[in-house]
Amino acid sequence: MAGPDAKLTAAEKRRVKRSIQKAQRDGKIPRDAVQTIPYRELFPDGLMQVNDKLFTKTLRFSDINYELAQPEDKEQTFDGLCDFYNALDSSMWAQMSFLNLRANLIDYRKSVTVPGQGDGCDDVRRELETILQAQLAKGNNGLIKRKYFTFGIEADSGQAARPRVERIEADLRNHLKNMGVRSEPLSGYDRLEVLHGIFHPDGREKLRFNWDAVVNTGLSTKPFIAPSSFDFRGGRTFKIGGMWGAASFLQIGASQLNDRVLSDFLNLDCSQIVTIHIKAVNQQEAIKTIKRKLTDIEKTKIEEQKKAVRSGYDMDVLPPDLITYAGEAQTLLNSLQSRDERMFLATVLIVNLAPTRGQLENDVFQAASVAQKHNCALKRLDWQQEQGLMSSLPLGLNQIEIQRGLTTSSLAIFVPFTTEELFMDGEALYYGINALSSNLIMADRKRLKNPNGLFLGVPGSGKSFSAKREIANAFLTTKDDIIITDPEAEYAPLVNRLGGQVVQLSPVSTQYVNPMDINPDYSDEENPLTLKSDFILSLCELI
């Protein structure tokens, strides 16, 4: 056979070309970017046929305040997460996906735009908009962070898979609800939007798709989300269009992990996809496997003891590794049999994306530093970049055969929660910076469950300033009426600056309140005279 540096003859080149063409006809080698995307069909309700047998669906779930919670609340969340994983059947495929992708900066700045109203205060509105955009640049609001859970089962057809998928979906959402986590299933269009965002990580191009186009043209859904090109010729990197990427896997070598390992990866200020593939192992099979391992260890121990007797030294002196393996295997067996633990096979993948190769290497180095901090290692998937990227798509398909056995509690230590973000659009007011994520806090009280507010603090801590700032924000951003009751007369300068009306009520004031005043619109349901009479009688009783 010719060496790697030898030139091929014309006959050999023809044979290689025919082999490549045959593999392409058989579908083994993708011929274009569309064929590279590894799923068969997507239905409008969100059910996806990945291959001949596998059907999957995806849930989007929200974050909750975990990092700042009390220890007992953290423990309750951890227990709920263990129950969630224990609900996974061994016949299911499961995948946690965490997407931190760059947003379109122009669209994102529109969310903090303060439109003018032509009332003489537009110069102040421009100043407020400048401040908000400066705060936006300081945080990582340029990253859109989303969390997804994809699950799948094997079935002969979509019709057979749909009822069981719906039952599993209801059960999983109920477990998430018990932890205080909001979740919603993704429709077919939503899943296409997620995939389109991954394949266009610069955030500039928007998805243009409707289901009528699929029906009228006979095309699949993949051409609408496929990038301009994939380039996997590099063994350690790849390219999507003009963006560079690198796929790695997390080698878990630590004997114990803490609950910040996942959040440390997610808090990195870079575009990345963190994926955890989860496959539950049948409980009886897991116990049998561990018992077989214990039997093998005991056999090795007996052989070592016989060797010790023949050599004339103490038979209780055994190799340290053998003692360690025996103890760990026995502990694992006890956990599965008596502590409501189950066995899972997990694969942790991290895909970094960047506009330049230099920035990509820097982002991968930061992720490797986080892994090293937790006594783990981030290993590049050499010559498996395509499989690594496709396994990081929220499809429920794992093409990387690198798995680590974990118990329920060991898997739940990858807590997917940090802090709940509050960033609302529309007439939302600026309330500050999230201390954990450094993102803006933008909220519209009228759309919250409880619109009331209360400022508390020691004297001199800024209560009055905070109230005046919110009044100014409401005036500049919304068209709401603002009514201030001010016994200390400290808000009059602000009202005068904003062009409002100050009504002074005092024994020496020339302005009065007429309790007898009434108009026909005083009440829509009851007699206005009756209501006004009741009010005057109540006023007289108070006086």
Side-chain angles (χ1 to χ4, degrees):
M1 182 176 179
D5 297 329
K7 292 184 178 180
L8 298 177
T9 63
E12 289 173 335
K13 289 180 179 179
R14 287 194 295 271
R15 270 201 311 271
V16 170
K17 186 177 181 180
R18 285 196 299 269
S19 299
I20 293 175
Q21 291 175 347
K22 182 178 184 300
Q24 289 176 339
R25 288 194 301 270
D26 295 340
K28 294 179 182 179
I29 299 178
R31 289 176 292 180
D32 52 32
V34 173
Q35 289 189 359
T36 305
I37 304 174
Y39 73 85
R40 294 282 183 84
E41 186 177 0
L42 179 63
F43 302 97
D45 63 351
L47 185 67
M48 175 183 288
Q49 182 178 2
V50 180
N51 53 36
D52 293 337
K53 293 288 187 179
L54 181 60
F55 292 83
T56 67
K57 202 166 186 183
T58 299
L59 298 175
R60 177 170 51 217
F61 63 93
S62 65
D63 210 336
I64 59 175
N65 291 318
Y66 178 82
E67 295 291 341
L68 299 178
Q70 296 297 322
E72 55 271 15
D73 295 330
K74 287 187 175 182
E75 185 175 350
Q76 185 177 357
T77 301
F78 182 81
D79 293 338
L81 202 56
C82 290
D83 293 338
F84 177 80
Y85 288 132
N86 281 338
L88 302 179
D89 188 73
S90 58
S91 62
M92 292 172 52
W93 278 257
Q95 174 185 353
M96 283 275 192
S97 301
F98 307 93
L99 274 59
N100 294 358
L101 300 176
R102 293 288 175 188
N104 189 325
L105 193 57
I106 297 177
D107 293 340
Y108 222 74
R109 285 178 176 173
K110 290 181 181 179
S111 61
V112 294
T113 300
V114 183
Q117 298 182 16
D119 55 358
C121 294
D122 286 348
D123 57 331
V124 184
R125 290 187 176 89
R126 298 284 73 77
E127 183 178 356
L128 174 61
E129 184 176 313
T130 302
I131 294 173
L132 292 179
Q133 291 190 358
Q135 294 292 79
L136 188 69
K138 290 180 182 179
N140 58 357
N141 282 108
L143 287 175
I144 295 181
K145 298 186 177 184
R146 295 287 184 267
K147 304 174 189 291
Y148 302 96
F149 182 81
T150 304
F151 61 95
I153 60 170
E154 287 190 346
D156 294 329
S157 64
Q159 185 177 2
R162 190 168 279 108
R164 188 180 172 196
V165 167
E166 291 176 353
R167 288 194 297 270
I168 295 173
E169 175 190 321
D171 187 37
L172 294 176
R173 293 190 65 188
N174 185 53
H175 279 88
L176 291 172
K177 184 179 179 181
N178 292 337
M179 289 187 285
V181 179
R182 300 187 305 273
S183 64
E184 58 179 344
L186 296 187
S187 65
Y189 182 87
D190 294 334
R191 296 190 73 173
L192 286 177
E193 202 167 32
V194 173
L195 295 173
H196 182 272
I198 296 174
F199 292 141
H200 301 81
D202 54 5
R204 297 176 183 174
E205 186 176 342
K206 295 184 178 180
L207 174 63
R208 294 176 176 86
F209 170 81
N210 62 74
W211 292 103
D212 292 336
V214 176
V215 175
N216 296 334
T217 61
L219 296 172
S220 70
T221 56
K222 293 191 284 187
F224 296 91
I225 62 173
S228 58
S229 64
F230 287 112
D231 187 352
F232 297 105
R233 289 176 295 179
R236 295 172 59 83
T237 59
F238 62 87
K239 292 188 71 175
I240 304 179
M243 294 286 287
W244 287 86
S248 311
F249 74 95
L250 184 67
Q251 188 179 55
I252 304 173
S255 57
Q256 287 186 342
L257 293 172
N258 61 47
D259 58 358
R260 286 196 55 85
V261 58
L262 183 57
S263 63
D264 285 347
F265 281 111
L266 300 182
N267 288 335
L268 292 175
D269 188 14
C270 60
S271 296
Q272 63 178 353
I273 306 171
V274 180
T275 304
I276 304 177
H277 284 279
I278 304 165
K279 187 70 172 71
V281 181
N282 182 277
Q283 186 75 346
Q284 299 301 323
E285 291 296 328
I287 292 175
K288 288 180 181 178
T289 301
I290 297 173
K291 286 183 176 179
R292 284 197 296 267
K293 292 294 182 182
L294 279 172
T295 302
D296 293 340
I297 292 174
E298 290 297 326
K299 179 182 177 182
T300 306
K301 186 187 296 186
I302 293 172
E303 292 176 354
E304 290 291 337
Q305 289 174 339
K306 289 180 179 179
K307 188 187 300 183
V309 171
R310 288 195 300 267
S311 301
Y313 57 86
D314 191 356
M315 61 182 296
D316 292 332
V317 178
L318 297 173
D321 290 343
L322 191 61
I323 299 175
T324 302
Y325 296 153
E328 291 179 352
Q330 188 61 50
T331 302
L332 180 58
L333 182 61
N334 294 338
S335 299
L336 296 181
Q337 289 182 326
S338 59
R339 292 179 54 192
D340 198 23
E341 296 270 337
R342 293 187 59 193
M343 195 71 184
F344 296 89
L345 297 177
T347 303
V348 183
L349 304 175
I350 297 177
V351 173
N352 294 95
L353 300 167
T356 64
R357 185 163 187 172
Q359 184 176 341
L360 173 67
E361 295 297 337
N362 184 53
D363 293 343
V364 174
F365 178 77
Q366 292 184 28
S369 299
V370 172
Q372 186 176 2
K373 169 186 171 183
H374 295 278
N375 293 326
C376 299
L378 193 67
K379 299 290 186 180
R380 197 77 66 93
L381 287 167
D382 294 337
W383 303 106
Q384 288 185 292
Q385 294 295 302
E386 179 178 353
Q387 291 82 358
L389 175 62
M390 298 307 156
S391 299
S392 297
L393 303 177
L395 306 178
L397 179 66
N398 184 13
Q399 299 179 355
I400 302 298
E401 298 180 357
I402 302 174
Q403 297 175 324
R404 167 68 190 265
L406 297 173
T407 60
T408 304
S409 56
S410 300
L411 181 61
I413 206 67
F414 292 94
V415 179
F417 309 118
T418 52
T419 180
E420 187 173 5
E421 297 288 353
L422 189 58
F423 192 91
M424 304 173 68
D425 54 5
E427 294 185 344
L429 304 184
Y430 168 69
Y431 284 94
I433 298 291
N434 190 314
L436 291 178
S437 64
S438 300
N439 288 335
L440 293 183
I441 299 177
M442 303 285 291
D444 183 359
R445 286 193 183 187
K446 300 185 293 293
R447 289 154 56 189
L448 297 177
K449 185 178 296 185
N450 183 358
N452 301 321
L454 190 65
F455 293 98
L456 300 174
V458 298
S461 61
K463 298 185 298 297
S464 298
F465 174 80
S466 298
K468 292 175 183 177
R469 181 190 58 78
E470 184 165 355
I471 291 171
N473 280 352
F475 174 81
L476 297 172
T477 307
T478 71
K479 296 183 179 181
D480 297 339
D481 293 331
I482 302 173
I483 302 173
I484 305 171
T485 302
D486 182 16
E488 303 297 331
E490 62 174 314
Y491 290 84
L494 175 64
V495 175
N496 289 327
R497 173 63 183 85
L498 298 178
Q501 180 184 11
V502 178
V503 180
Q504 296 179 348
L505 299 177
S506 70
V508 296
S509 174
T510 59
Q511 298 169 338
Y512 307 96
V513 175
N514 180 12
M516 304 290 290
D517 182 63
I518 190 173
N519 61 70
D521 298 329
Y522 187 75
S523 174
D524 295 333
E525 299 179 357
E526 299 185 29
N527 188 345
L529 290 176
T530 303
L531 291 177
K532 178 58 71 173
S533 300
D534 290 341
F535 169 73
I536 294 175
L537 289 174
S538 301
L539 182 62
C540 292
E541 290 177 1
L542 291 175
I543 295 174

